[in-house]
Amino acid sequence: PDAMTACSTNQSIYIQAMRGIEPVGEPECVSTTQANDTHPRFISATKLAYCAMLEPGYEAAAVRIKVYDMETRQTKLYLEHFERSVDSFVPVSETRLMFLAEDFAHMSLYELDLTKDHVLQLTRGRTYLSFAVSGSGRILARLEALNAPAECVSLEDITPFEPNFSWSEETSAERVRYYTHFGQ
């Protein structure tokens, strides 16, 4: 929406009512700041979650999650004081999201309970580049290492734990099941 897009870090989220393929009315801007808002995903028929930066013009600002309620027209901010920046997220249910965030040279998987605004860490010490959650709850991911190409895996037997923001060489105990073997 900024006139000088070359100088702006602003992207906004809009909702457009539709009747078939025809728009109905004007698009509604749901972004609450002039900072960067991206990656909208519906988490229910009336709630939209998206990644949000809080400071306009600051490209290195931490990415948080916001949820817009289309019925109340209210937006709620999550992870405001979380010590990591959200890379990407996947809605698991209307009250649960999973997200990736950098964690000491790796990308770890976290779970956000929207009802309690509480985060649990699911992985540590590995680099998951992307992930998806099946309807049955199975987590499929792309696992990468410095000494091997990315592999397609599923994560099993995950034991969530409180996030640890101190350096450690520990690797979480999830069982990794490989579907590809490019590096072997």
Side-chain angles (χ1 to χ4, degrees):
D2 292 346
M4 294 192 53
T5 57
C7 298
S8 172
T9 58
N10 186 17
Q11 295 186 76
S12 294
I13 308 293
Y14 289 82
I15 295 176
Q16 174 66 60
M18 303 292 289
R19 183 173 294 120
I21 61 171
E22 296 298 320
V24 176
E26 294 298 314
E28 175 187 357
C29 182
V30 302
S31 296
T32 57
T33 69
Q34 297 301 308
N36 195 22
D37 297 320
T38 61
H39 301 92
R41 289 186 170 75
F42 282 101
I43 60 175
S44 76
T46 61
K47 291 185 179 175
L48 178 76
Y50 59 95
C51 291
M53 290 183 173
L54 304 182
E55 296 182 52
Y58 182 47
E59 292 181 29
V63 176
R64 303 302 180 212
I65 291 177
K66 289 184 178 179
V67 175
Y68 176 72
D69 186 319
M70 293 184 293
E71 292 176 331
T72 65
R73 296 194 179 320
Q74 297 294 310
T75 300
K76 183 167 181 185
L77 172 64
Y78 293 90
L79 306 171
E80 184 174 13
H81 302 290
F82 189 62
E83 291 189 31
R84 302 286 185 260
S85 184
V86 174
D87 179 73
S88 61
F89 74 92
V90 170
V92 178
S93 70
E94 187 174 341
T95 61
R96 242 176 82 223
L97 304 176
M98 287 186 186
F99 66 93
L100 287 173
E102 287 186 33
D103 184 32
F104 295 106
H106 294 286
M107 290 293 277
S108 294
L109 187 62
Y110 297 84
E111 179 178 83
L112 171 62
D113 181 331
L114 297 171
T115 59
K116 299 175 185 171
D117 194 4
H118 183 74
V119 176
L120 289 174
Q121 191 165 351
L122 304 178
T123 67
R124 181 180 185 122
R126 293 185 179 92
T127 300
Y128 295 105
L129 297 177
S130 60
F131 73 101
V133 181
S134 73
S136 65
R138 177 177 285 198
I139 300 171
L140 304 172
R142 206 166 42 125
L143 173 63
E144 185 175 85
L146 290 175
N147 60 353
E151 302 282 1
C152 295
V153 300
S154 67
L155 309 182
E156 300 169 0
D157 302 326
I158 294 174
T159 303
F161 53 96
E162 292 296 322
N164 181 350
F165 300 117
S166 301
W167 166 251
S168 170
E169 291 188 28
E170 288 180 31
T171 300
S172 50
E174 75 272 10
R175 193 162 44 100
V176 178
R177 179 177 175 198
Y178 286 79
Y179 293 103
T180 60
H181 302 281
F182 298 124
Q184 298 176 358

